[in-house]
């Protein structure tokens, strides 16, 4: 399923709306959370938001770190669900501020991919991205 | 699986570390993203963060809205994976600022729950919460 995950970023980087459409399960219950935003529900709304973002971002590139893949349920021999978590280090050009909270340059993302049968293509069911704010949650409390 | 989802918030609200521990799959690959933070990986790290939060938050209460449950893969008769999305409207007391980004009062959350067998208890595999920032991503660009 990592090829689907990588294709997602290729689609954003190249502004390929058709590729993006092909990567999502077509369902009214799919969901996508952009950094700092409320959830979008249903593939129509999700794809509309990506089309808008791709139309407004002149240049964007993602460098993924800490990519981790786990299939669900853990240990299944022919999994049909996968959870991919990663950190997105984002390099972007002009026009970014107007579309979404991508200006922070770093986000963490949890994606859920599914496939119909063990041989079918993996597709996105859900994507939840959030900004990384420069705080240390385990820092000792100030007196 | 909604009873597990509700029990999670009960555990935070009442500071019940044992209940919280019982709700997570014990695995080094589980993950938890607190609002604005980098991912925590592994149940030990996840539970440590919740124990710390519960020890430092005097009063906290969650009002959930827009709760939506989907089992994976879509349409499975005996699902072993579920995705729960919701908005957390958070009412909290003193001491909150020092622990995490809960001060915003509103977060959106995607949780992934799994169970070993069709009759086993649902447990948390992943939780990704993010702050809701008061912007409208579909607002027209300023001239």
């Amino acid at each position: 399923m990592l090829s689907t995950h990588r294709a997602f970023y290729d689609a954003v980087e190249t502004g390929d709306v058709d590729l993006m459409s092909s990567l999502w399960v077509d369902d009214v219950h799919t969901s996508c959370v952009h950094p700092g935003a409320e959830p979008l529900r249903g593939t129509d709304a999700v794809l509309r938001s990506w089309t808008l973002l791709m139309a407004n971002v002149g240049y964007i590139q993602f460098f993924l770190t800490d990519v981790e893949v786990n299939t669900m349920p853990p240990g299944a021999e022919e999994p049909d669900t996968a959870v991919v978590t990663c950190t997105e280090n984002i390099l972007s050009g002009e026009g970014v501020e107007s579309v979404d909270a991508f200006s922070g340059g770093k986000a963490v993302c949890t994606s859920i991919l599914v496939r119909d049968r063990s041989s079918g293509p993996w597709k996105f069911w859900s994507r939840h991205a959030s900004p990384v704010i420069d705080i240390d949650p385990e820092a000792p409390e100030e007196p």
Side-chain angles (χ1 to χ4, degrees), chain A:
Chain A
M1 74 294 292
L2 273 176
S3 61
T4 298
H5 193 252
R6 181 62 244 175
F8 173 88
Y9 294 99
D10 291 344
V12 180
E13 288 175 359
T14 62
D16 190 334
V17 175
D18 291 338
L19 175 58
M20 178 62 82
S21 299
S22 74
L23 300 174
W24 284 82
V25 176
D26 187 10
D27 194 291
V28 296
H29 296 292
T30 58
S31 65
C32 182
V33 178
H34 291 294
E38 307 237 19
L40 297 169
R41 291 213 163 112
T43 307
D44 285 352
V46 171
L47 292 178
R48 207 158 44 235
S49 76
W50 284 106
T51 302
L52 187 69
L53 185 143
M54 292 189 283
N56 281 277
V57 172
Y59 172 80
I60 190 162
Q61 194 167 2
F62 294 86
F63 300 93
L64 304 186
T65 52
D66 295 320
V67 179
E68 191 169 314
V69 180
N70 288 284
T71 52
M72 299 289 114
E77 285 187 15
E78 291 200 344
D80 43 36
T81 305
V83 178
V84 184
T85 58
C86 68
T87 298
E88 302 171 345
N89 305 277
I90 304 158
L91 191 64
S92 59
E94 89 289 5
V96 176
E97 301 79 4
S98 60
V99 183
D100 212 327
F102 272 123
S103 51
K106 190 172 176 184
V108 292
C109 187
T110 301
S111 298
I112 302 165
L113 288 79
V114 297
R115 58 178 175 180
D116 278 339
R117 290 172 209 88
S118 58
S119 59
W122 288 93
K123 296 198 174 191
F124 277 84
W125 174 267
S126 166
R127 187 173 188 280
H128 190 142
S130 61
V132 176
I133 300 166
D134 191 16
I135 54 168
D136 179 358
E138 299 213 359
E141 188 172 356
E142 294 294 323

